[in-house]
Amino acid sequence: MSAEVIAADRPSSAGDPGRDSVRSWRDALKLAPLVAVLVLLILWAAHDGGYDEDTWYWGALILLALVAMVVGGLFGPLRRLGTATKVALGAFALYVVWSYASIAWAAYRGDALSGSNKALLYLLIFALCAVSRWTPRRALWMVTAYTVAVGAVGALILIRMALGHDAAALFTEGRLISPTGYLNANAALFMTTALLGVALAVRRELPLVLRGVLLAIACEGVQLALLAESRGWLFTLPAVLLVALVVVRDRLRIAVAAIIPVIGALVPLHRLLHVYEVTAVAHPTASAFDHAAKTAGATSLVCCLVVLIAGTLVLVAEDRFKPREVRRSVVRAAGLIAAVLALAVAAAGAVAATHGHPIRFFNEQWHGFTHPSTTNAAQASHFASTGSEREDAWRVALDAFAARPIGGLGQDNFSDYYTVHGRTGIELAWVHSWELRLLAHTGIVGFLALIAFLAAAAVAALRRRAPRGSLRGALAGIALLPVIVWLIHGSVDWFWEMPALSAPALAFLAMAGALTEEGGATASTAPARPGRARTAVVAACGVVAFLAAVVVLSFSYLSVREVSIGSDLRGSNPTQALAHLQTAADLNPYDSEPGRLAGTIALQSGSYEEALGRFGQAVARQPGGWFSWFGAGLAASELGDRAVARHNFEVAKSLNSSQQVIKDALSRVDGPTPMTPQQGLDGLVLAH
């Protein structure tokens, strides 16, 4: 273990058992917030990416309490923040405030409130990690524990595949959907662990066996990313790898170490791609898919085991290698050979993934990107398919920004706007680009605020890098790997909405800034004490902000819980379900979901007056919600008020002309056989 790590954790009161025990207790207490952050990151990664409001709202409340306790000094004195980190926190806070302000002009205030609460969640996790004190040992433990935990989640997926335990539940249309519930998010999550695994494996401060495990996790991560078959991941992979090599230390060692897991991941490539290929045939059988998944899982586990053994042996040999005894020319030659091998492996992987036609593949993909998805002939992998809705989503996002350049549509208000202005007939909830998301949702003000945050946070992490060879500097570079994946791959996807990706990216970004600032020349200087008047004003503002956050998050979370309970009771006790949904509507006066769900339950139960009232509540809160207008039309039709039903159907059609069932209901509303509620609900095409 390095002298820096030992010095960072050496007690100053050796020989006094009483003082040592007190110090140990205090040190353990200081770790409590970081342990809580780690647990949240792991839970979100393992449970649907943390996407469900039921999952992330209570995490936001925990983080809010922890930030208040840390700022209050419960876990020890705060570290001195550098100027760059202060600017980053200020810019992020401005973005969150502007996000809440967008509720005032948002067409659907419920989504604007929920999106603002999620932005607050991310501010809290960044702030908590920014104000915490990070020693190199603490940071090494945090990043390693996170990587191993997500690696364990991935290992369970491969084990389930290999054992044939309901492997179909892990996939959708032959692509890996577990654990986040979103194919592209899985690719990004496991790509992040692959990068972290390789970068950590070369750290001699870690036990040798653990370093071998980290190489196996890297191999597993690449395999699982391939199973997700994300074209966005494939296209952005070169940029991710290039930027990752720029920011990390020990590039040569990392590049050499990466060859082992990459080769291990490419060996079962054909079997990994075959899982999708089986589902692409005209009439796939369940047994054929189970066999393909079982074969792929078993082969992948064997390859990971081989990488573990071979990687450990290579690390043992590398540890005995003395670079000071070798001339620089030899080191450079070794680096050149490693680079050539890495390029050769990457080229072989590209040729294999594109079935020997990489140039034709990229030409087809570019053509497909600018055209909507179409039904293609059976392909050996999703990488070879064409068509994308991203171009149309980006066009609509730019149109929204042009229409409202200052404040945007309002936080998270893209869905209804796209339903009206999109050309694909698909209901897209998200923009599929974090840059365009900012412009469309919060306008130029929100865009500049978050860009300023990212720039300042990057300056904090990169400006004062520790001396070469130090653990502090190496960990600062490693901590930037999640945010690199998040930003580059997230430029063509919707990762902001996934706490499993956004939270670790922001938490480790804050960690990187804290490591470099505390390792800088000015980190140990005594901070200037502000005047009492200024301290009182800052404290008062902090208390007000804290209380406001408690109220907003608590009421929103309680409303979400009531909606969840009502949804669970809809089949067994509709009356109780409606009561819980009314409570949810009272707790959150902006959310349309309680009224929409209650209207559906009442419609299915034959309570048409109740359904009309509940759908009316949802329409008042979300005028652009076509389903509520459609449901209200069905209820009015059953009540015999055909004029109201016709009006509601016409509004629903103007909001979503792609739903054929709305057109059918409108054509039948004045006829002898109006559409029944069950026919209307059965005829709906679910949103994507």
Side-chain angles (χ1 to χ4, degrees), residues 12 16 97 120 155 218 242 245 254 379 419 457 517 521 571 590 596 663 668:
S12 59
D16 188 339
V97 171
L120 176 59
L242 178 62
L245 283 175
I254 291 175
Q379 299 284 354
T419 301
E517 286 181 346
Y590 293 147
R596 184 165 53 246
K663 302 174 184 178
R668 294 170 53 181

Side-chain angles (χ1 to χ4, degrees), residues 357-370:
H357 302 284
I359 296 177
R360 186 179 70 185
F361 167 77
F362 281 103
N363 288 336
E364 291 176 352
Q365 290 299 325
W366 175 251
H367 175 77
F369 174 75
T370 57

Side-chain angles (χ1 to χ4, degrees), residues 596-597 600 615 624-632 652 655 662 681 684:
R596 184 165 53 246
L597 180 56
T600 305
F615 280 127
W626 66 268
F627 178 79
S628 298
W629 286 102
F630 178 64
L655 294 172
I662 301 177
L681 296 176
L684 292 174

Side-chain angles (χ1 to χ4, degrees), residues 315-585:
L315 290 172
V316 170
E318 194 265 347
D319 284 349
R320 295 184 178 182
F321 179 70
K322 305 296 183 181
R324 293 181 180 178
E325 299 175 1
V326 182
R327 297 175 56 184
R328 288 186 177 182
S329 58
V330 177
V331 175
R332 290 176 181 175
L336 179 61
I337 294 173
V340 171
L341 287 175
L343 289 174
V345 171
V351 171
T354 58
H355 300 279
H357 302 284
I359 296 177
R360 186 179 70 185
F361 167 77
F362 281 103
N363 288 336
E364 291 176 352
Q365 290 299 325
W366 175 251
H367 175 77
F369 174 75
T370 57
H371 295 76
S373 296
T374 57
T375 302
N376 298 326
Q379 299 284 354
S381 76
H382 182 71
F383 296 130
S385 63
T386 59
S388 171
E389 289 75 36
R390 283 177 174 81
E391 187 272 340
D392 193 54
W394 295 354
R395 176 190 62 81
V396 174
L398 289 174
D399 288 346
F401 171 64
R404 297 186 179 183
I406 304 300
L409 299 171
Q411 188 68 276
D412 283 16
N413 266 241
F414 181 73
S415 178
D416 288 349
Y417 191 86
Y418 181 81
T419 301
V420 176
H421 296 87
R423 298 171 181 169
T424 62
I426 295 176
E427 297 173 54
L428 291 180
W430 312 115
V431 180
H432 288 73
S433 167
W434 67 266
E435 300 95 336
L436 294 178
R437 180 194 190 281
L438 290 172
L439 291 173
H441 288 210
T442 53
I444 192 65
V445 176
F447 178 83
L448 292 178
L450 201 65
I451 291 297
F453 155 71
L454 291 171
V459 168
L462 297 172
R463 185 177 61 177
R464 282 197 299 264
R465 300 294 294 275
R468 183 169 299 277
S470 70
L471 178 61
R472 186 182 295 273
L475 286 174
I478 293 173
L480 292 175
L481 295 176
V483 79
I484 290 172
V485 176
W486 184 67
L487 289 176
I488 297 178
H489 190 173
S491 293
V492 296
D493 227 309
W494 52 276
F495 291 163
W496 174 271
E497 287 73 23
M498 281 282 178
L501 298 176
S502 298
L506 295 170
F508 292 161
L509 176 61
M511 176 202 295
L515 285 169
T516 56
E517 286 181 346
E518 289 197 347
T522 62
S524 60
T525 59
R529 295 184 179 181
R532 292 184 179 179
R534 180 183 173 187
T535 301
V537 170
V538 172
C541 292
V543 171
V544 171
F546 171 75
L547 293 177
V550 168
V551 171
V552 171
L553 291 176
S554 297
F555 277 81
S556 298
Y557 178 53
L558 291 174
S559 177
V560 167
R561 288 298 304 149
E562 291 296 316
V563 170
S564 180
I565 295 172
S567 180
D568 292 339
L569 292 173
R570 63 185 301 178
S572 59
N573 194 333
T575 302
Q576 284 294 318
L578 292 174
H580 282 285
L581 291 170
Q582 184 57 52
T583 302

